[in-house]
Amino acid sequence: MSEAAAAVPTRLAVLVSGSGSNLQALIDRIAEDPEFGGEIVVVGSDRADAFGLERAEKAGIPTFSCAVGDFEDRGAWERALVEQLLEHRPDAIVLAGFMKLVTGEFLQHWPDAVVNTHPSLLPAFRGAHAVREALEYGVKVTGSTVHFVDEKVDHGPVIAQRAVEILDHDDEDALHERIKQVEHELFPECIRLLCQGRLHIEGRHVRIR
Ligand code: GRF
């Protein structure tokens, strides 16, 4: 996204699968920051019962759900997901706890404009069980990573990271909760920079201007 384009609000589509606390943090941040430079035009989910959809409805944001099980195969599901998103003409896609992988077919619609938040310090503990695996491994520090999405899992260029200390008696829920508190600040901040056209990808590096 160019800096010139930042004069009009960047149209964001958010995808969620669960509670949507990161979505809520983004909704709140946009509401309180007139300089944010972006607006959420739709929230979608692969699960009709995702609490994130309720949060969006409460905020007056259009929603849709698109369940893998309703389609013949993953390809058909992803094409339908893209179609639903395109109806809202988003400039960027925000994966906020979206637990499905997207392919290059999806990404080609929004080049360098799909971002994700992951609850570990990547490249450590990729995948769906990052918090549990960090605890099991016995690392002393884990954290939050916000990154651009590419075709590999939890792999694209890193926008920002913040560390979270692991405490002696942490369990998965307690640790994940502390990581989320960090995500709720870091993720909206990164999306603000994206909306303002201030993130520039150079190979694996993201420069913030
Ligand atoms: C977050 O910890 C995110 O990093 C991970 O899934 C969790 C989603 O939480 N990908 P929520 O639905 O935003 O509360």
Side-chain angles (χ1 to χ4, degrees):
M1 247 154 296
S2 73
E3 280 166 62
V8 281
T10 300
R11 297 173 65 84
L12 301 170
V14 183
L15 293 176
V16 299
S17 294
S19 113
S21 67
N22 280 285
L23 164 68
Q24 189 66 57
L26 183 60
I27 291 171
D28 295 345
R29 178 73 196 267
I30 290 173
E32 71 200 19
D33 182 356
E35 307 292 311
F36 193 92
E39 60 181 350
I40 303 174
V41 295
V42 68
V43 173
S45 180
D46 59 316
R47 300 179 54 124
D49 63 350
F51 186 58
L53 293 178
E54 279 183 44
R55 294 182 192 266
E57 279 155 22
K58 209 169 157 203
I61 300 166
T63 63
F64 69 86
S65 67
C66 185
V68 176
D70 291 342
F71 296 88
E72 202 169 292
D73 55 32
R74 273 300 259 258
W77 167 75
E78 195 183 69
R79 284 191 293 280
L81 179 65
V82 166
E83 259 174 48
Q84 299 241 44
L85 287 167
L86 286 174
E87 279 178 25
H88 298 269
R89 296 178 289 105
D91 303 307
I93 309 294
V94 175
L95 305 183
F98 187 59
M99 301 307 282
K100 293 283 181 295
L101 299 176
V102 292
T103 68
E105 299 280 306
F106 179 101
L107 296 171
Q108 68 173 358
H109 291 277
W110 299 281
D112 295 341
V114 181
V115 293
N116 181 44
T117 175
H118 181 77
S120 77
L121 294 177
L122 290 173
F125 309 116
R126 291 178 182 154
H129 305 293
V131 179
R132 188 187 316 161
E133 286 170 13
L135 272 174
E136 285 171 359
Y137 194 92
V139 290
K140 303 293 187 190
V141 175
T142 183
S144 159
T145 301
V146 181
H147 64 97
F148 283 103
V149 175
D150 67 9
E151 291 187 48
K152 296 185 194 161
V153 178
D154 299 327
H155 173 270
V158 171
I159 300 169
Q161 292 184 299
R162 210 170 279 170
V164 174
E165 207 176 328
I166 296 184
L167 308 177
D168 277 351
H169 302 293
D170 260 341
D171 61 19
E172 190 176 344
D173 286 347
L175 177 57
H176 201 168
E177 197 45 50
R178 289 207 313 291
I179 293 172
K180 282 192 182 191
Q181 283 169 17
V182 168
E183 289 187 298
H184 295 166
E185 284 193 16
L186 193 64
F187 197 34
E189 177 57 19
C190 291
I191 295 163
R192 184 179 71 91
L193 294 170
L194 177 80
C195 289
Q196 295 177 348
R198 292 168 62 190
L199 299 180
H200 299 270
I201 302 175
E202 294 169 13
R204 278 217 52 89
H205 298 269
V206 179
R207 311 284 180 211
I208 299 173
R209 305 243 167 88

